[in-house]
Amino acid sequence: MTRRKKLYEGKAKILYEGPEPGTIIQYFKDDATAFNAQKKATLEGKGVLNNKISEFIMTRLGAIGVTNHFIRRLSLREQLVREVEIIPLEVVCRNIVAGSLATRLGQEEGAPLPRSIVEFYLKDDKLGDPMVTEEHITAFNWATTQEIDDILAMTLRINDFLSGMFGAVGITLVDFKIEFGRVWEGEFSRVILADEISPDSCRLWDTATGNKLDKDRFRRDLGDVIESYAEVARRLGIMKDMPTVIQGGLH
Ligand code: 5GP
């Protein structure tokens, strides 16, 4: 038996060396953090739910031509993904005012935006993920103008698709954060969607009641975090694949 090599441990995931070159195993932890890890907890079942929800979303996105790193799910908490050269940006897309947009610019949470807004943040915990402009991104070589164009086009396509997908099951996609990576084909590189898409990285509101079904339940101490993630899985029709212990937690 050999121990597999840990490549990186983040706040919610661990990355291990994959079985073939160019692959990585993404392990979903139950740990939750907020406010740059000043608030921490372990939420039993979160990793299993996010692994499954992210698999579902990445598979759907792949089917409509949004190339992404997902290869296949390996177990309850693990998925095999393509190794990418990570682009050090968090790309946020917003449809409704919430979170930092509300606080930073003094806007009313819940107000619909006249058109979707895309923002870029530098992935740097020490700096608290500061917002950056396209000029910063090209000046410091985090991505090229061509890559930024590709990222913007893919982000808006993802937003359209996910808004429709969640809308169909009574969930409003308020905003979300995604990450991209570079893959090389000979001397050419291409930008593909990476990381995860789950209730940890989206704001999802029940369209009928306005109830939050996402990580804001943890950030704002609203309770029922796992029950809300499970409700998202149930509405997407993937709850039946969950272990009974998680299904049992759903009221
Ligand atoms: P805000 O800028 O309002 O705090 O976040 C906008 C959206 O991006 C929300 O859906 C939020 O969950 C997501 N987001 C922003 N930063 C992070 C982050 O560091 N980790 C995760 N998981 N999501 C984030």
Side-chain angles (χ1 to χ4, degrees), residues 11-13 33 35-36 90-94 97-104 109 119 121 123 125 129 131 173-179 195-196 198-204 214-216 219-220:
K11 286 172 273 191
K13 292 192 292 294
T33 65
F35 312 117
N36 209 358
E90 296 194 342
V91 181
V92 168
C93 183
R94 304 177 184 274
V97 175
S100 71
L101 180 63
T103 47
R104 205 169 54 81
E109 187 153 88
E119 301 167 342
Y121 295 85
K123 258 176 85 70
D125 285 342
D129 296 344
M131 189 190 274
L173 179 64
V174 173
D175 56 31
F176 60 93
K177 182 268 299 179
I178 45 181
E179 297 182 23
D195 194 50
E196 70 174 283
S198 72
D200 264 8
S201 55
C202 303
R203 282 199 175 89
L204 303 169
D214 57 63
K215 195 171 160 187
D216 272 350
R219 294 189 189 100
R220 302 182 188 187

Side-chain angles (χ1 to χ4, degrees), residues 160-177:
D160 275 353
F161 180 77
L162 293 187
S163 294
M165 186 192 85
F166 282 119
V169 295
I171 294 175
T172 303
L173 179 64
V174 173
D175 56 31
F176 60 93
K177 182 268 299 179

Side-chain angles (χ1 to χ4, degrees), residues 149-165:
D149 284 351
D150 292 348
I151 287 172
L152 281 170
M154 286 171 83
T155 300
L156 293 173
R157 183 123 189 272
I158 293 164
N159 184 42
D160 275 353
F161 180 77
L162 293 187
S163 294
M165 186 192 85

